[in-house]
Each structure stands twice: as C-alpha cells, then as structure tokens.
Amino acid sequence: MKNIVILTGAGISAESGIATFRGPGGLWEGHRVEDVCTPGALARDPALVHRFYDLRRAALETVAPNAAHAALARLDREWAGGLLIVTQNVDDLHERAGARRMLHMHGALRSALCAACGERREWRDALPPGSACAGCGARALRPDIVFFGEIPYQMERIEAALAEADLFVSIGTSGAVYPAAGFVRMAQAYGAATLELNLERSEGSAWFDATRLGAAGVLVPAWVDEVLG
Ligand code: OAD
C-alpha cells in the first residue's frame, strides 16, 4: 500500500465541541439550509448569512483539535507514501493539529472570498456584508464557504488522488452530501480498498469494504497506529 486518501466530515470535530450538521442538536436542526447555505440566501439576506458564519468563526476561538486530528497529523508527518486529507469541514482543526497534505473542499471559516475578483484571504474577525476586497476594492467579500448548488473546491486534484489511491478512508461523515458521498465508489472503481470509521452506520456504509463503529477520537489513533506499524 502506498497512496492513501482520507475524507473527513463533521464527526471528526464533534469531540472538539463543534456541532455536526444532521441529527439531534445538529446545525441543520436549528437552521434551514436554504436560509443560510445557498447563493439565493446570500443574495436575499446577506446579514443573516454573514452572521451565521461570523458566529461559527468566532466559536473556533474556543475549540482545539482532538486525538483524531492529532493522529492524522502524525500520519501526515510519518507516512512516506502519498497522502491527501480531503475535509468537508470548514473549521481549521486539521491544520492546527499540524496536517499539511490536506485541502478544504467545502471552504473555510477563517477565509473571506471576493465575489468580484475571486481572491481569498485569511479572515479571523466578523465579516460584515459589504466589506471591501483589499485586492480589487469591490465591496463584495463573502464567507469562503461552498454553498449548496456551488461546485466544491479542487475537484480535479481530489479525483486525481482517488485515481491513484490504494486505500480510501472515510471518517465522521454521514454520506448525505455529494460529490463527497460518491468518493468511495470512485476510489473503488479505480481499485482502492475502502474503510469507514464512523460513530454509526452512514448512508454510504454498504459501499465500504469494512466499517468500524465508534468515536473518531478512539478509532482514528488506533487505525493510524496500525498503518504506521
Ligand atoms: P453530518 O452531520 O451529516 O454527519 C456527521 C457524521 O459523523 C454522522 O454520521 C455521525 O454519526 C458521525 N459522528 C458524530 N460524532 C462522531 C464522533 N465522535 N466520531 C465519529 N463519528 C461521529 O456531517 P457531514 O457528513 O460532514 O456542507 O456533512 C457533510 C456536509 O453537509 C458538510 O460539509 C456541510 C453540510 O451541509 C456544507 O456546509 C457545504
């Protein structure tokens, strides 16, 4: 085995105290997706959408990476083969734990995107609608989040990594949102073995060669120990 692709979802950050999306207490229980996570919502009520992400960005100040993030960062440091960690999460806990070979396919809370020129820059504070882009000057900065109906970032790089993968591992994701939910089948079609680590069976469980059920903070360090031998 040489090349590993890992997909992570909200479940890997749950033990850090960040709410997942689906299920009891999930973010989508208190908010309608259409109100805060679509291009239409941003056009209709930018104040509401910006505030929703301001609150979530501010909440990052009070959380820290957990044992699962730390284990993946260790894998990144010590695995001599190919590795790509693709996260659907918009928190920055993978990089704070030290992971480098990773990308955010659904955007990042600590980033602002200029809707006019496409430039993005690090953003830590509140982002009021109408904030000016330091690059082009347009008052068009928005949260750098991939809304429903928008195309996730870096799909070409992800698909290239899946095509080369010997092992695809999915961690803490419900398998409800495409295209990420389809990565397991894509990896399989290219010949990769597939493993799922999740608290409970997911919508995609049937597709994996093996599923291990439990908390990411326990399962991920154990799996990384196995891989690094
Ligand atoms: P979900 O909330 O849909 O699913 C989280 C999964 O993590 C569930 O299957 C839980 O059982 C599992 N889980 C919870 N706690 C866990 C723990 N401690 N250890 C392991 N697993 C645990 O979140 P995602 O699948 O990430 O998109 O959601 C996918 C996308 O839908 C998100 O990126 C977001 C959302 O709408 C955007 O905002 C664009």
Side-chain angles (χ1 to χ4, degrees):
M1 180 173 74
K2 189 164 168 284
N3 297 323
I4 304 175
V5 176
I6 297 172
L7 173 70
T8 69
I12 198 166
S13 295
E15 288 157 79
S16 292
I18 298 181
T20 60
F21 293 94
R22 294 168 185 82
L27 267 176
W28 294 156
E29 197 180 55
H31 305 268
R32 293 182 344 138
V33 173
E34 320 72 283
D35 289 340
V36 294
C37 197
T38 63
L42 185 64
R44 224 170 24 246
D45 194 345
L48 175 75
V49 173
H50 280 243
R51 193 164 57 243
F52 177 76
Y53 291 102
D54 282 350
L55 289 173
R56 298 186 56 210
R57 189 179 310 107
L60 291 183
E61 307 283 349
T62 62
V63 299
N66 64 53
H69 299 105
L72 293 189
R74 177 179 165 229
L75 183 68
D76 186 10
R77 278 193 307 276
E78 298 182 16
W79 180 249
L83 175 73
L84 183 63
I85 301 168
V86 178
T87 189
Q88 299 170 85
N89 298 343
V90 293
D91 67 55
D92 59 351
L93 297 182
H94 281 302
E95 49 269 55
R96 268 201 258 167
R100 292 293 171 264
R101 290 184 275 178
M102 61 138 334
L103 63 84
H104 284 274
M105 67 176 290
H106 288 167
L109 283 168
R110 283 181 160 169
S111 173
L113 171 70
C114 177
C117 74
E119 192 174 296
R120 47 173 61 88
R121 59 186 61 236
E122 192 179 327
W123 203 273
R124 298 224 159 210
D125 304 321
L127 178 65
S131 297
C133 171
C136 73
R139 299 196 161 276
L141 290 186
R142 55 165 273 187
D144 189 7
I145 301 289
V146 176
F147 293 142
F148 283 91
E150 297 180 325
I151 298 169
Y153 297 149
Q154 305 203 49
M155 286 303 298
E156 280 182 20
R157 186 174 162 203
I158 297 169
E159 287 177 19
L162 289 170
E164 299 286 311
D166 301 302
L167 176 65
F168 171 76
V169 185
S170 170
I171 303 171
T173 175
S174 63
V177 174
Y178 282 82
F183 290 170
V184 56
R185 273 170 283 169
M186 204 182 289
Q188 228 155 26
Y190 282 115
T194 57
L195 170 67
E196 177 181 47
L197 309 177
N198 207 48
L199 194 58
E200 59 196 0
R201 284 183 67 78
S202 73
E203 291 183 32
S205 289
W207 295 104
F208 289 85
D209 299 332
T211 294
R212 298 180 190 174
L213 299 182
V218 176
L219 292 185
V220 179
W223 171 72
V224 169
D225 282 346
E226 266 172 51
V227 171
L228 293 175

PDB file of all heavy atoms in Angstrom, residues 17-52:
ATOM      1  N   GLY A  17     -16.060  19.635  20.260  1.00  0.00           N
ATOM      2  CA  GLY A  17     -17.151  20.517  20.676  1.00  0.00           C
ATOM      3  C   GLY A  17     -17.783  21.318  19.551  1.00  0.00           C
ATOM      4  O   GLY A  17     -18.504  22.283  19.798  1.00  0.00           O
ATOM      5  N   ILE A  18     -17.529  20.912  18.309  1.00  0.00           N
ATOM      6  CA  ILE A  18     -18.179  21.575  17.171  1.00  0.00           C
ATOM      7  C   ILE A  18     -19.372  20.718  16.755  1.00  0.00           C
ATOM      8  O   ILE A  18     -19.225  19.518  16.522  1.00  0.00           O
ATOM      9  CB  ILE A  18     -17.201  21.744  15.988  1.00  0.00           C
ATOM     10  CG1 ILE A  18     -16.023  22.634  16.422  1.00  0.00           C
ATOM     11  CG2 ILE A  18     -17.911  22.351  14.784  1.00  0.00           C
ATOM     12  CD1 ILE A  18     -14.998  22.882  15.320  1.00  0.00           C
ATOM     13  N   ALA A  19     -20.543  21.355  16.661  1.00  0.00           N
ATOM     14  CA  ALA A  19     -21.765  20.606  16.339  1.00  0.00           C
ATOM     15  C   ALA A  19     -21.678  20.019  14.934  1.00  0.00           C
ATOM     16  O   ALA A  19     -21.145  20.646  14.021  1.00  0.00           O
ATOM     17  CB  ALA A  19     -22.976  21.525  16.437  1.00  0.00           C
ATOM     18  N   THR A  20     -22.214  18.795  14.748  1.00  0.00           N
ATOM     19  CA  THR A  20     -22.340  18.234  13.404  1.00  0.00           C
ATOM     20  C   THR A  20     -23.573  18.866  12.743  1.00  0.00           C
ATOM     21  O   THR A  20     -24.208  19.754  13.323  1.00  0.00           O
ATOM     22  CB  THR A  20     -22.475  16.692  13.458  1.00  0.00           C
ATOM     23  OG1 THR A  20     -23.633  16.368  14.213  1.00  0.00           O
ATOM     24  CG2 THR A  20     -21.235  16.062  14.097  1.00  0.00           C
ATOM     25  N   PHE A  21     -23.892  18.448  11.538  1.00  0.00           N
ATOM     26  CA  PHE A  21     -24.997  19.073  10.800  1.00  0.00           C
ATOM     27  C   PHE A  21     -26.318  18.352  10.993  1.00  0.00           C
ATOM     28  O   PHE A  21     -27.345  18.970  11.255  1.00  0.00           O
ATOM     29  CB  PHE A  21     -24.661  19.117   9.296  1.00  0.00           C
ATOM     30  CG  PHE A  21     -23.524  20.040   9.005  1.00  0.00           C
ATOM     31  CD1 PHE A  21     -22.224  19.560   8.925  1.00  0.00           C
ATOM     32  CD2 PHE A  21     -23.741  21.396   8.843  1.00  0.00           C
ATOM     33  CE1 PHE A  21     -21.163  20.417   8.681  1.00  0.00           C
ATOM     34  CE2 PHE A  21     -22.692  22.259   8.604  1.00  0.00           C
ATOM     35  CZ  PHE A  21     -21.393  21.762   8.524  1.00  0.00           C
ATOM     36  N   ARG A  22     -26.264  17.017  10.844  1.00  0.00           N
ATOM     37  CA  ARG A  22     -27.506  16.258  10.842  1.00  0.00           C
ATOM     38  C   ARG A  22     -27.715  15.565  12.180  1.00  0.00           C
ATOM     39  O   ARG A  22     -26.774  15.359  12.920  1.00  0.00           O
ATOM     40  CB  ARG A  22     -27.502  15.253   9.683  1.00  0.00           C
ATOM     41  CG  ARG A  22     -27.523  16.000   8.365  1.00  0.00           C
ATOM     42  CD  ARG A  22     -27.246  15.173   7.133  1.00  0.00           C
ATOM     43  NE  ARG A  22     -27.204  16.110   6.004  1.00  0.00           N
ATOM     44  CZ  ARG A  22     -26.125  16.842   5.692  1.00  0.00           C
ATOM     45  NH1 ARG A  22     -25.008  16.699   6.362  1.00  0.00           N
ATOM     46  NH2 ARG A  22     -26.185  17.716   4.706  1.00  0.00           N
ATOM     47  N   GLY A  23     -28.974  15.261  12.472  1.00  0.00           N
ATOM     48  CA  GLY A  23     -29.266  14.563  13.721  1.00  0.00           C
ATOM     49  C   GLY A  23     -29.580  15.541  14.838  1.00  0.00           C
ATOM     50  O   GLY A  23     -29.476  16.759  14.669  1.00  0.00           O
ATOM     51  N   PRO A  24     -29.947  15.010  16.009  1.00  0.00           N
ATOM     52  CA  PRO A  24     -30.353  15.839  17.141  1.00  0.00           C
ATOM     53  C   PRO A  24     -29.222  16.788  17.566  1.00  0.00           C
ATOM     54  O   PRO A  24     -28.080  16.358  17.685  1.00  0.00           O
ATOM     55  CB  PRO A  24     -30.637  14.827  18.260  1.00  0.00           C
ATOM     56  CG  PRO A  24     -30.707  13.484  17.594  1.00  0.00           C
ATOM     57  CD  PRO A  24     -29.955  13.585  16.314  1.00  0.00           C
ATOM     58  N   GLY A  25     -29.544  18.064  17.764  1.00  0.00           N
ATOM     59  CA  GLY A  25     -28.530  19.035  18.165  1.00  0.00           C
ATOM     60  C   GLY A  25     -27.673  19.506  17.009  1.00  0.00           C
ATOM     61  O   GLY A  25     -26.814  20.366  17.182  1.00  0.00           O
ATOM     62  N   GLY A  26     -27.902  18.972  15.814  1.00  0.00           N
ATOM     63  CA  GLY A  26     -27.113  19.356  14.643  1.00  0.00           C
ATOM     64  C   GLY A  26     -27.466  20.759  14.172  1.00  0.00           C
ATOM     65  O   GLY A  26     -28.543  21.271  14.461  1.00  0.00           O
ATOM     66  N   LEU A  27     -26.512  21.354  13.445  1.00  0.00           N
ATOM     67  CA  LEU A  27     -26.703  22.729  12.952  1.00  0.00           C
ATOM     68  C   LEU A  27     -27.945  22.857  12.086  1.00  0.00           C
ATOM     69  O   LEU A  27     -28.616  23.878  12.111  1.00  0.00           O
ATOM     70  CB  LEU A  27     -25.485  23.145  12.118  1.00  0.00           C
ATOM     71  CG  LEU A  27     -24.364  23.865  12.838  1.00  0.00           C
ATOM     72  CD1 LEU A  27     -23.214  24.094  11.882  1.00  0.00           C
ATOM     73  CD2 LEU A  27     -24.847  25.209  13.399  1.00  0.00           C
ATOM     74  N   TRP A  28     -28.228  21.813  11.298  1.00  0.00           N
ATOM     75  CA  TRP A  28     -29.381  21.905  10.394  1.00  0.00           C
ATOM     76  C   TRP A  28     -30.710  21.652  11.111  1.00  0.00           C
ATOM     77  O   TRP A  28     -31.767  21.690  10.499  1.00  0.00           O
ATOM     78  CB  TRP A  28     -29.237  20.965   9.199  1.00  0.00           C
ATOM     79  CG  TRP A  28     -28.121  21.297   8.243  1.00  0.00           C
ATOM     80  CD1 TRP A  28     -27.514  20.393   7.404  1.00  0.00           C
ATOM     81  CD2 TRP A  28     -27.495  22.562   7.951  1.00  0.00           C
ATOM     82  NE1 TRP A  28     -26.548  21.022   6.653  1.00  0.00           N
ATOM     83  CE2 TRP A  28     -26.513  22.349   6.977  1.00  0.00           C
ATOM     84  CE3 TRP A  28     -27.659  23.865   8.451  1.00  0.00           C
ATOM     85  CZ2 TRP A  28     -25.693  23.372   6.475  1.00  0.00           C
ATOM     86  CZ3 TRP A  28     -26.841  24.876   7.961  1.00  0.00           C
ATOM     87  CH2 TRP A  28     -25.893  24.627   6.991  1.00  0.00           C
ATOM     88  N   GLU A  29     -30.669  21.401  12.412  1.00  0.00           N
ATOM     89  CA  GLU A  29     -31.907  21.311  13.178  1.00  0.00           C
ATOM     90  C   GLU A  29     -32.385  22.719  13.520  1.00  0.00           C
ATOM     91  O   GLU A  29     -33.571  23.018  13.483  1.00  0.00           O
ATOM     92  CB  GLU A  29     -31.675  20.505  14.462  1.00  0.00           C
ATOM     93  CG  GLU A  29     -32.945  20.018  15.118  1.00  0.00           C
ATOM     94  CD  GLU A  29     -32.622  19.229  16.378  1.00  0.00           C
ATOM     95  OE1 GLU A  29     -31.927  19.768  17.264  1.00  0.00           O
ATOM     96  OE2 GLU A  29     -33.053  18.077  16.458  1.00  0.00           O
ATOM     97  N   GLY A  30     -31.431  23.610  13.836  1.00  0.00           N
ATOM     98  CA  GLY A  30     -31.785  24.974  14.223  1.00  0.00           C
ATOM     99  C   GLY A  30     -31.881  25.942  13.050  1.00  0.00           C
ATOM    100  O   GLY A  30     -32.381  27.058  13.207  1.00  0.00           O
ATOM    101  N   HIS A  31     -31.387  25.537  11.889  1.00  0.00           N
ATOM    102  CA  HIS A  31     -31.372  26.444  10.731  1.00  0.00           C
ATOM    103  C   HIS A  31     -31.815  25.690   9.501  1.00  0.00           C
ATOM    104  O   HIS A  31     -31.430  24.543   9.307  1.00  0.00           O
ATOM    105  CB  HIS A  31     -29.960  26.981  10.479  1.00  0.00           C
ATOM    106  CG  HIS A  31     -29.359  27.648  11.665  1.00  0.00           C
ATOM    107  ND1 HIS A  31     -29.469  28.996  11.894  1.00  0.00           N
ATOM    108  CD2 HIS A  31     -28.656  27.147  12.699  1.00  0.00           C
ATOM    109  CE1 HIS A  31     -28.846  29.287  13.022  1.00  0.00           C
ATOM    110  NE2 HIS A  31     -28.348  28.188  13.534  1.00  0.00           N
ATOM    111  N   ARG A  32     -32.585  26.353   8.649  1.00  0.00           N
ATOM    112  CA  ARG A  32     -32.904  25.733   7.369  1.00  0.00           C
ATOM    113  C   ARG A  32     -31.736  25.990   6.428  1.00  0.00           C
ATOM    114  O   ARG A  32     -31.290  27.122   6.289  1.00  0.00           O
ATOM    115  CB  ARG A  32     -34.186  26.328   6.792  1.00  0.00           C
ATOM    116  CG  ARG A  32     -35.408  25.972   7.643  1.00  0.00           C
ATOM    117  CD  ARG A  32     -36.718  26.493   7.085  1.00  0.00           C
ATOM    118  NE  ARG A  32     -36.551  27.527   6.078  1.00  0.00           N
ATOM    119  CZ  ARG A  32     -37.251  27.596   4.949  1.00  0.00           C
ATOM    120  NH1 ARG A  32     -38.143  26.655   4.682  1.00  0.00           N
ATOM    121  NH2 ARG A  32     -37.074  28.590   4.104  1.00  0.00           N
ATOM    122  N   VAL A  33     -31.260  24.922   5.792  1.00  0.00           N
ATOM    123  CA  VAL A  33     -30.126  25.040   4.870  1.00  0.00           C
ATOM    124  C   VAL A  33     -30.388  26.155   3.849  1.00  0.00           C
ATOM    125  O   VAL A  33     -29.503  26.960   3.546  1.00  0.00           O
ATOM    126  CB  VAL A  33     -29.907  23.702   4.120  1.00  0.00           C
ATOM    127  CG1 VAL A  33     -28.847  23.868   3.049  1.00  0.00           C
ATOM    128  CG2 VAL A  33     -29.498  22.610   5.091  1.00  0.00           C
ATOM    129  N   GLU A  34     -31.629  26.215   3.364  1.00  0.00           N
ATOM    130  CA  GLU A  34     -31.957  27.207   2.326  1.00  0.00           C
ATOM    131  C   GLU A  34     -31.795  28.639   2.823  1.00  0.00           C
ATOM    132  O   GLU A  34     -31.665  29.575   2.042  1.00  0.00           O
ATOM    133  CB  GLU A  34     -33.398  27.098   1.823  1.00  0.00           C
ATOM    134  CG  GLU A  34     -34.043  25.781   1.592  1.00  0.00           C
ATOM    135  CD  GLU A  34     -34.413  24.969   2.789  1.00  0.00           C
ATOM    136  OE1 GLU A  34     -33.536  24.350   3.407  1.00  0.00           O
ATOM    137  OE2 GLU A  34     -35.597  24.937   3.113  1.00  0.00           O
ATOM    138  N   ASP A  35     -31.856  28.839   4.169  1.00  0.00           N
ATOM    139  CA  ASP A  35     -31.766  30.201   4.710  1.00  0.00           C
ATOM    140  C   ASP A  35     -30.334  30.684   4.876  1.00  0.00           C
ATOM    141  O   ASP A  35     -30.093  31.882   4.907  1.00  0.00           O
ATOM    142  CB  ASP A  35     -32.460  30.276   6.084  1.00  0.00           C
ATOM    143  CG  ASP A  35     -33.967  30.161   5.962  1.00  0.00           C
ATOM    144  OD1 ASP A  35     -34.482  30.405   4.850  1.00  0.00           O
ATOM    145  OD2 ASP A  35     -34.610  29.819   6.964  1.00  0.00           O
ATOM    146  N   VAL A  36     -29.404  29.771   5.021  1.00  0.00           N
ATOM    147  CA  VAL A  36     -28.033  30.200   5.350  1.00  0.00           C
ATOM    148  C   VAL A  36     -26.941  29.609   4.470  1.00  0.00           C
ATOM    149  O   VAL A  36     -25.794  30.025   4.561  1.00  0.00           O
ATOM    150  CB  VAL A  36     -27.684  29.879   6.827  1.00  0.00           C
ATOM    151  CG1 VAL A  36     -28.534  30.690   7.775  1.00  0.00           C
ATOM    152  CG2 VAL A  36     -27.802  28.403   7.117  1.00  0.00           C
ATOM    153  N   CYS A  37     -27.277  28.652   3.634  1.00  0.00           N
ATOM    154  CA  CYS A  37     -26.208  27.953   2.920  1.00  0.00           C
ATOM    155  C   CYS A  37     -26.507  27.769   1.436  1.00  0.00           C
ATOM    156  O   CYS A  37     -26.217  26.722   0.868  1.00  0.00           O
ATOM    157  CB  CYS A  37     -25.946  26.605   3.597  1.00  0.00           C
ATOM    158  SG  CYS A  37     -24.359  25.873   3.117  1.00  0.00           S
ATOM    159  N   THR A  38     -27.092  28.799   0.809  1.00  0.00           N
ATOM    160  CA  THR A  38     -27.306  28.754  -0.644  1.00  0.00           C
ATOM    161  C   THR A  38     -26.971  30.134  -1.217  1.00  0.00           C
ATOM    162  O   THR A  38     -27.041  31.143  -0.504  1.00  0.00           O
ATOM    163  CB  THR A  38     -28.774  28.439  -1.009  1.00  0.00           C
ATOM    164  OG1 THR A  38     -29.607  29.503  -0.506  1.00  0.00           O
ATOM    165  CG2 THR A  38     -29.222  27.112  -0.430  1.00  0.00           C
ATOM    166  N   PRO A  39     -26.623  30.197  -2.512  1.00  0.00           N
ATOM    167  CA  PRO A  39     -26.374  31.500  -3.145  1.00  0.00           C
ATOM    168  C   PRO A  39     -27.618  32.387  -3.054  1.00  0.00           C
ATOM    169  O   PRO A  39     -27.512  33.603  -2.879  1.00  0.00           O
ATOM    170  CB  PRO A  39     -26.069  31.132  -4.604  1.00  0.00           C
ATOM    171  CG  PRO A  39     -25.612  29.717  -4.564  1.00  0.00           C
ATOM    172  CD  PRO A  39     -26.369  29.074  -3.437  1.00  0.00           C
ATOM    173  N   GLY A  40     -28.809  31.793  -3.145  1.00  0.00           N
ATOM    174  CA  GLY A  40     -30.056  32.574  -3.054  1.00  0.00           C
ATOM    175  C   GLY A  40     -30.188  33.249  -1.700  1.00  0.00           C
ATOM    176  O   GLY A  40     -30.601  34.411  -1.599  1.00  0.00           O
ATOM    177  N   ALA A  41     -29.831  32.527  -0.632  1.00  0.00           N
ATOM    178  CA  ALA A  41     -29.916  33.087   0.721  1.00  0.00           C
ATOM    179  C   ALA A  41     -28.969  34.276   0.854  1.00  0.00           C
ATOM    180  O   ALA A  41     -29.321  35.311   1.438  1.00  0.00           O
ATOM    181  CB  ALA A  41     -29.561  32.017   1.753  1.00  0.00           C
ATOM    182  N   LEU A  42     -27.766  34.144   0.295  1.00  0.00           N
ATOM    183  CA  LEU A  42     -26.782  35.225   0.388  1.00  0.00           C
ATOM    184  C   LEU A  42     -27.288  36.476  -0.337  1.00  0.00           C
ATOM    185  O   LEU A  42     -27.113  37.604   0.139  1.00  0.00           O
ATOM    186  CB  LEU A  42     -25.447  34.771  -0.206  1.00  0.00           C
ATOM    187  CG  LEU A  42     -24.280  35.751  -0.072  1.00  0.00           C
ATOM    188  CD1 LEU A  42     -23.932  35.978   1.394  1.00  0.00           C
ATOM    189  CD2 LEU A  42     -23.052  35.238  -0.823  1.00  0.00           C
ATOM    190  N   ALA A  43     -27.957  36.281  -1.474  1.00  0.00           N
ATOM    191  CA  ALA A  43     -28.487  37.414  -2.236  1.00  0.00           C
ATOM    192  C   ALA A  43     -29.661  38.058  -1.498  1.00  0.00           C
ATOM    193  O   ALA A  43     -29.808  39.276  -1.457  1.00  0.00           O
ATOM    194  CB  ALA A  43     -28.925  36.946  -3.620  1.00  0.00           C
ATOM    195  N   ARG A  44     -30.504  37.224  -0.887  1.00  0.00           N
ATOM    196  CA  ARG A  44     -31.745  37.676  -0.245  1.00  0.00           C
ATOM    197  C   ARG A  44     -31.482  38.359   1.085  1.00  0.00           C
ATOM    198  O   ARG A  44     -32.014  39.418   1.381  1.00  0.00           O
ATOM    199  CB  ARG A  44     -32.624  36.444   0.008  1.00  0.00           C
ATOM    200  CG  ARG A  44     -34.069  36.621  -0.338  1.00  0.00           C
ATOM    201  CD  ARG A  44     -34.850  35.308  -0.310  1.00  0.00           C
ATOM    202  NE  ARG A  44     -34.335  34.236   0.509  1.00  0.00           N
ATOM    203  CZ  ARG A  44     -33.876  33.082   0.009  1.00  0.00           C
ATOM    204  NH1 ARG A  44     -33.838  32.880  -1.290  1.00  0.00           N
ATOM    205  NH2 ARG A  44     -33.433  32.123   0.810  1.00  0.00           N
ATOM    206  N   ASP A  45     -30.660  37.734   1.914  1.00  0.00           N
ATOM    207  CA  ASP A  45     -30.468  38.217   3.287  1.00  0.00           C
ATOM    208  C   ASP A  45     -29.002  38.058   3.699  1.00  0.00           C
ATOM    209  O   ASP A  45     -28.664  37.216   4.536  1.00  0.00           O
ATOM    210  CB  ASP A  45     -31.390  37.440   4.234  1.00  0.00           C
ATOM    211  CG  ASP A  45     -31.498  38.107   5.598  1.00  0.00           C
ATOM    212  OD1 ASP A  45     -30.662  38.994   5.908  1.00  0.00           O
ATOM    213  OD2 ASP A  45     -32.411  37.730   6.368  1.00  0.00           O
ATOM    214  N   PRO A  46     -28.121  38.894   3.103  1.00  0.00           N
ATOM    215  CA  PRO A  46     -26.693  38.745   3.396  1.00  0.00           C
ATOM    216  C   PRO A  46     -26.379  38.900   4.879  1.00  0.00           C
ATOM    217  O   PRO A  46     -25.484  38.215   5.399  1.00  0.00           O
ATOM    218  CB  PRO A  46     -26.033  39.847   2.564  1.00  0.00           C
ATOM    219  CG  PRO A  46     -27.129  40.730   2.069  1.00  0.00           C
ATOM    220  CD  PRO A  46     -28.400  39.944   2.116  1.00  0.00           C
ATOM    221  N   ALA A  47     -27.114  39.758   5.579  1.00  0.00           N
ATOM    222  CA  ALA A  47     -26.815  39.968   7.001  1.00  0.00           C
ATOM    223  C   ALA A  47     -26.984  38.666   7.781  1.00  0.00           C
ATOM    224  O   ALA A  47     -26.145  38.319   8.622  1.00  0.00           O
ATOM    225  CB  ALA A  47     -27.725  41.060   7.570  1.00  0.00           C
ATOM    226  N   LEU A  48     -28.055  37.940   7.480  1.00  0.00           N
ATOM    227  CA  LEU A  48     -28.327  36.676   8.177  1.00  0.00           C
ATOM    228  C   LEU A  48     -27.229  35.643   7.867  1.00  0.00           C
ATOM    229  O   LEU A  48     -26.704  34.988   8.772  1.00  0.00           O
ATOM    230  CB  LEU A  48     -29.699  36.124   7.753  1.00  0.00           C
ATOM    231  CG  LEU A  48     -30.053  34.752   8.325  1.00  0.00           C
ATOM    232  CD1 LEU A  48     -30.441  34.867   9.801  1.00  0.00           C
ATOM    233  CD2 LEU A  48     -31.174  34.089   7.536  1.00  0.00           C
ATOM    234  N   VAL A  49     -26.884  35.532   6.600  1.00  0.00           N
ATOM    235  CA  VAL A  49     -25.887  34.529   6.193  1.00  0.00           C
ATOM    236  C   VAL A  49     -24.522  34.864   6.802  1.00  0.00           C
ATOM    237  O   VAL A  49     -23.851  34.010   7.377  1.00  0.00           O
ATOM    238  CB  VAL A  49     -25.802  34.443   4.655  1.00  0.00           C
ATOM    239  CG1 VAL A  49     -24.656  33.525   4.231  1.00  0.00           C
ATOM    240  CG2 VAL A  49     -27.129  33.959   4.077  1.00  0.00           C
ATOM    241  N   HIS A  50     -24.123  36.154   6.695  1.00  0.00           N
ATOM    242  CA  HIS A  50     -22.820  36.547   7.252  1.00  0.00           C
ATOM    243  C   HIS A  50     -22.794  36.322   8.757  1.00  0.00           C
ATOM    244  O   HIS A  50     -21.790  35.855   9.300  1.00  0.00           O
ATOM    245  CB  HIS A  50     -22.524  38.016   6.922  1.00  0.00           C
ATOM    246  CG  HIS A  50     -22.006  38.224   5.526  1.00  0.00           C
ATOM    247  ND1 HIS A  50     -20.761  38.728   5.258  1.00  0.00           N
ATOM    248  CD2 HIS A  50     -22.578  37.978   4.323  1.00  0.00           C
ATOM    249  CE1 HIS A  50     -20.579  38.782   3.943  1.00  0.00           C
ATOM    250  NE2 HIS A  50     -21.669  38.346   3.353  1.00  0.00           N
ATOM    251  N   ARG A  51     -23.909  36.637   9.445  1.00  0.00           N
ATOM    252  CA  ARG A  51     -23.924  36.474  10.905  1.00  0.00           C
ATOM    253  C   ARG A  51     -23.784  35.001  11.291  1.00  0.00           C
ATOM    254  O   ARG A  51     -23.086  34.651  12.239  1.00  0.00           O
ATOM    255  CB  ARG A  51     -25.217  37.071  11.496  1.00  0.00           C
ATOM    256  CG  ARG A  51     -25.178  37.224  13.015  1.00  0.00           C
ATOM    257  CD  ARG A  51     -26.272  38.150  13.527  1.00  0.00           C
ATOM    258  NE  ARG A  51     -27.589  37.707  13.132  1.00  0.00           N
ATOM    259  CZ  ARG A  51     -28.433  38.384  12.349  1.00  0.00           C
ATOM    260  NH1 ARG A  51     -28.092  39.565  11.869  1.00  0.00           N
ATOM    261  NH2 ARG A  51     -29.621  37.894  12.033  1.00  0.00           N
ATOM    262  N   PHE A  52     -24.460  34.141  10.539  1.00  0.00           N
ATOM    263  CA  PHE A  52     -24.386  32.691  10.804  1.00  0.00           C
ATOM    264  C   PHE A  52     -22.918  32.230  10.776  1.00  0.00           C
ATOM    265  O   PHE A  52     -22.459  31.534  11.677  1.00  0.00           O
ATOM    266  CB  PHE A  52     -25.216  31.941   9.745  1.00  0.00           C
ATOM    267  CG  PHE A  52     -25.174  30.438   9.867  1.00  0.00           C
ATOM    268  CD1 PHE A  52     -25.892  29.779  10.859  1.00  0.00           C
ATOM    269  CD2 PHE A  52     -24.425  29.672   8.971  1.00  0.00           C
ATOM    270  CE1 PHE A  52     -25.853  28.389  10.963  1.00  0.00           C
ATOM    271  CE2 PHE A  52     -24.386  28.279   9.074  1.00  0.00           C
ATOM    272  CZ  PHE A  52     -25.099  27.645  10.064  1.00  0.00           C
TER     273      PHE A  52
END
